[in-house]
Amino acid sequence: MDAQSLRLEALPLHRSMQVGTTQTDYVLIKISAPTQRSGPQPRLSAVLLLDVSGSMKGNPLAQVKESVARLSSILGDDDALGVVTFSTSAQTVVPIATLGQGSTRRSIERASESLAADGYTNMSAGLSHAALQFPPRASDERQLILLLSDGQPNVGTQTLEGLSGEVAQIKSRSVAVSTLGYGAQHNEDLLLSLSDAGGGRYAYVKDTTMAASSFARALGAQRDVIAEDVALTMAPAPGVEILRVLGDARTSFGEGGLRISLSDMLLGEEIHVVVELKISARRDIGRVRTLKVALGYQPTRAAFAAVDARGQTREPQVLRDEVQIDLTTLPSDEVDPRAKELVVLALTIEQRQKARALFDQRGFAAAIPILEKAKAQVEAVHGGVPPVDSPLHDLHEALLDDLQIAQKAPKPDEYSVLRKTNMDQQMLNTGLNRGVTQNATPSAQHMVIKLQGQLGPPAKARLVFVDGPQHGKVVPMGPECRIGRGRDNDLVLDDALATRRHALIQWVGRGFIAHDLGSSSGTYINGRHIVDDYVLQDGDLIQIGASKLRFERIDGGKPGDADGKGERGDRAKRA
């Protein structure tokens, strides 16, 4: 198998069943992408589609302007960038053009400075206007519309179904769509649906100072798309019925069976699809097939550029597998351990979705027993203890976060932020478990490093634990420090009061800014709860759960100004 091929494996939960019986069972389908690309990265052609309706006035638009100018400088000379805005109508600010030609970068910088906010939100007009910017896609190119909005559409097409259909039409022309939702008022369900239909990703931008890095991650991730037009088709054998696909899968029926449309896949990504079957076993012992599975996809052109150079063609690829079980005379509860954890994960995610639907209706008390049951279900797989080195670990941590939310019963505006914070963790919103996010791809990280490089090296600083389980520990500061209970953080806090992804400290040139990432228990600086981004000063005390950390500048300067004057940044606020 080519190193750049996807991999497909279908596993039944139970390896056998008794002859002559009827039972329901689950099948796990694993789709894995390679972790490394062979051949060159694609050129990126992107249109930044920016909401400039009236709600973007002030600091939100100012940060977007700065982000656009900075993005044009970190993309390569062979990349192309354009800018389209939408409010009541849409307009082309800068036509898409190669950045290394003429004065394209300067044109983008000048045009971004002149952006102004006014009017309503016609997202449909913006999408169609942006789509018209793209010529037919070249073989070494990745085309993307990156939409940022802070509100809900109130002009033109306004429904989730209608806008998702429009995005699907854009994707059929080989143009992907990713979305960024800024602030507390945007419709995260809509933007997530648009990114799914467009083969892209959704991310939440909580603070305006995070806009530039969010843009950079979203653009960088598109360089690491390894397969597009990914679809899974399943055909049951006689006597077998597909009851459902767990999660929010996009399904349809065709000649080959039940079809599931999947988003474009990133390097290192793994998707888990869980299917519930009803099986009526024949009366003869022996090995039988229950399900045929086919995975169709188009390898991204740039990924196969080296293959093309050898004269081979880039045809759509199809992988096949089938599920078989043994029919025996005796009942059996034997399960495939490779499938068990991931089937439990998908079933538990469904319970979590029910609880979060109650959250949306402010039924926090009613959600608690559902979450407690889901938590116990996860722990039961590991003998009644929390999973550690397991695919269930992150879900268990998310359930702990949800229980904190349910017990706190936050006010509507606070809950809106908490909901958005979790929405861009797609593996916890659907049964289609994704093993990587756009934040983690190599090119996404590289783009953020390039962005931060424009600001110069970060000032020398550190965090010192002055109270809590890690008392005395010293943590040197880099350009970014993500803090939380999850194992993927730069600074991991083993504390039930900390959220999985709790806070971020980020170098922004004039100093280090602390952001609360929508935690349920809050981030406190010098005893005050921070809501907006906060420019840290030497000696500030940061409290997260049971841990208290002191921020120390060790280069002789004071944050707030790169020259050491110690002035506050414009967005530094205390709640």
Side-chain angles (χ1 to χ4, degrees), residues 192-263:
L192 179 60
S193 178
L194 297 188
S195 64
D196 280 346
R201 298 293 187 273
Y202 158 79
Y204 170 41
V205 184
K206 181 175 183 289
D207 293 327
T208 55
T209 50
M210 300 172 70
S213 58
S214 297
F215 274 120
R217 284 189 176 91
L219 289 173
Q222 291 302 305
R223 294 195 195 276
D224 290 332
V225 172
I226 201 71
E228 53 193 350
D229 302 328
V230 185
L232 188 67
T233 303
M234 298 176 293
V240 179
E241 178 185 356
I242 298 176
L243 296 180
R244 64 188 180 117
V245 179
L246 276 64
D248 299 329
R250 290 178 286 143
T251 60
S252 60
F253 287 94
E255 183 177 347
L258 180 66
R259 186 176 189 272
I260 303 174
S261 298
L262 301 171
S263 293

Side-chain angles (χ1 to χ4, degrees), residues 431-451:
L432 306 180
N433 174 22
R434 294 189 169 275
V436 68
T437 69
Q438 68 176 7
N439 290 343
T441 74
S443 294
Q445 294 173 338
H446 178 69
M447 286 281 280
V448 173
I449 291 171
K450 287 185 69 175
L451 185 74

Side-chain angles (χ1 to χ4, degrees), residues 233-490:
T233 303
M234 298 176 293
V240 179
E241 178 185 356
I242 298 176
L243 296 180
R244 64 188 180 117
V245 179
L246 276 64
D248 299 329
R250 290 178 286 143
T251 60
S252 60
F253 287 94
E255 183 177 347
L258 180 66
R259 186 176 189 272
I260 303 174
S261 298
L262 301 171
S263 293
D264 297 348
M265 290 193 68
L266 302 171
L267 282 172
E269 186 169 34
E270 187 172 282
I271 297 178
H272 306 142
V273 180
V274 175
V275 185
E276 185 177 4
L277 304 178
K278 180 180 179 182
I279 306 171
S280 298
R282 67 189 190 191
R283 297 187 176 277
D284 302 322
I285 62 172
R287 195 160 182 80
V288 296
R289 184 183 71 244
T290 59
L291 192 69
K292 283 185 176 181
V293 180
L295 178 70
Y297 67 97
Q298 175 66 61
T300 51
R301 293 180 170 97
F304 277 72
V307 175
D308 289 346
R310 297 194 298 268
Q312 299 182 23
T313 58
R314 286 185 304 262
E315 297 294 334
Q317 303 293 302
V318 179
L319 303 177
R320 302 183 189 279
D321 199 3
E322 61 180 37
V323 180
Q324 296 184 346
I325 61 172
D326 293 319
L327 298 183
T328 63
T329 56
L330 298 175
S332 173
D333 290 328
E334 182 185 9
V335 299
D336 189 322
R338 296 172 296 171
K340 181 179 180 181
E341 285 191 315
L342 295 174
V343 170
V344 170
L345 185 146
L347 290 168
T348 307
I349 287 173
E350 288 196 326
Q351 295 303 307
R352 184 175 188 250
Q353 287 177 304
K354 291 179 181 178
R356 293 179 73 82
L358 289 170
F359 283 7
D360 292 345
Q361 301 167 17
R362 304 205 54 76
F364 295 107
I368 290 176
I370 297 174
L371 292 168
E372 292 283 9
K373 182 178 179 181
K375 175 174 168 288
Q377 180 174 281
V378 169
E379 293 173 350
V381 177
H382 290 265
V385 298
V388 180
D389 294 321
S390 162
L392 292 169
H393 174 81
D394 280 347
L395 178 59
H396 185 267
E397 296 297 298
L399 291 169
L400 293 178
D401 285 353
D402 287 348
L403 282 166
Q404 285 187 25
I405 294 172
Q407 290 157 1
K408 185 177 181 181
K411 296 178 180 179
D413 56 345
E414 184 182 354
Y415 171 66
S416 178
V417 172
L418 293 170
R419 189 180 193 275
K420 290 172 171 61
T421 302
N422 285 281
M423 187 62 77
D424 61 356
Q425 306 302 320
Q426 293 192 26
M427 63 82 68
L428 300 178
N429 287 302
T430 73
L432 306 180
N433 174 22
R434 294 189 169 275
V436 68
T437 69
Q438 68 176 7
N439 290 343
T441 74
S443 294
Q445 294 173 338
H446 178 69
M447 286 281 280
V448 173
I449 291 171
K450 287 185 69 175
L451 185 74
Q452 291 168 337
Q454 294 180 333
L455 305 172
K460 293 182 180 180
R462 64 188 182 186
L463 296 174
V464 180
F465 281 83
V466 297
D467 198 3
Q470 301 185 64
H471 181 269
K473 180 177 179 179
V474 177
V475 181
M477 292 296 301
E480 284 191 350
C481 182
R482 293 182 178 270
I483 305 172
R485 203 177 61 245
R487 293 176 298 177
D488 57 346
N489 289 289
D490 303 301

Side-chain angles (χ1 to χ4, degrees), residues 1 4-8 31-34 226-227 265 295 297 319:
M1 181 179 291
Q4 288 294 301
S5 296
L6 299 185
R7 287 170 172 77
L8 173 69
I31 306 165
S32 306
I226 201 71
M265 290 193 68
L295 178 70
Y297 67 97
L319 303 177

Side-chain angles (χ1 to χ4, degrees), residues 175-186:
V175 178
V177 177
S178 284
T179 58
L180 298 175
Y182 165 69
Q185 300 306 313
H186 77 270

